[in-house]
Amino acid sequence: MVLAAGGGRRYGGPKALVRHEDGRLLVERAVATLRDGGCTRIWVVLGAESGRVRDEARLAGVELLDNPTWKSGMGSSLRVGLAALAELAETDAQAVAVLLVDTPGIGPEAVARLLAAASGGSGALLTATYKGRRGHPVILGRDHWPGVTTLATADVGARAYLIAHAADVQGVPCEDIADDTDLDVPPEG
């Protein structure tokens, strides 16, 4: 699942519509990262400028979800995405990999590494780590979706749940293959 609903206030516009140096929109790049990393079905949560994202981005074969309360922060997008996954009768997904749209330094290798380490099925709870610090992507097993949904508020996403269940979180070192720095402001120049 790609969380791509934010308005990008500090960036100057929705980051889903930012063109990366490889020519793709960040939302297209995030979808490709999950797909190439081994995810079989992909959901993208949209909010700000969702109509433009739908019109401009190449997102064939992706489930698009709208977050009408995107202004309240990333937590609402995570809640929308998990609720949709839980309600869809046709999904038997045991876990979901979550990636933020504004982390282009994360490639498919990091997603694949987390998927390979996720042996807990519906009980899986993993985060990529960067020199011991938790980051993205994150894998949330289905058993954790209700708890994450309850605690996901403002811009904290799953952080509060992960802290509350720290003993259950498996960290997967990814600093050798990824950089989870998010794009907060446009590059200088």
Side-chain angles (χ1 to χ4, degrees), residues 3-177:
L3 302 183
R9 180 179 39 83
R10 290 174 290 178
Y11 201 90
K15 292 183 237 177
L17 292 167
V18 169
R19 203 151 296 277
H20 188 260
E21 59 196 34
D22 65 6
R24 294 183 289 181
L25 296 176
L26 286 181
V27 70
E28 296 168 344
R29 189 174 201 298
V31 165
T33 294
L34 289 176
R35 185 173 286 133
D36 295 347
C39 296
T40 55
R41 290 191 68 187
I42 300 170
W43 286 261
V44 176
V45 182
L46 300 174
E49 300 279 351
S50 64
R52 273 189 64 207
V53 175
R54 289 172 187 273
D55 289 344
E56 296 177 25
R58 293 184 186 117
L59 299 172
V62 173
E63 304 286 335
L64 300 176
L65 305 169
D66 285 307
N67 176 6
T69 60
W70 62 269
K71 288 182 181 178
S72 66
M74 176 180 35
S76 65
S77 292
L78 186 55
R79 288 192 312 271
V80 164
L82 292 177
L85 285 174
E87 290 174 11
L88 288 173
E90 69 267 11
T91 183
D92 58 355
Q94 294 300 300
V96 62
V98 180
L99 184 64
L100 305 179
V101 73
D102 63 351
T103 54
I106 297 174
E109 300 83 7
V111 174
R113 186 175 285 180
L114 263 75
L115 290 176
S119 59
S122 63
L125 195 58
L126 296 88
T127 69
T129 60
Y130 300 88
K131 297 182 181 172
R133 178 188 51 79
R134 288 187 187 140
H136 285 87
V138 174
I139 294 185
L140 303 170
R142 191 180 197 105
D143 296 348
H144 299 283
W145 297 354
V148 171
T149 299
T150 299
L151 295 178
T153 59
D155 274 327
V156 296
R159 188 179 321 138
Y161 187 85
L162 295 171
I163 290 169
H165 295 83
D168 301 322
V169 178
Q170 178 183 350
V172 179
C174 288
E175 63 269 0
D176 62 320
I177 56 171

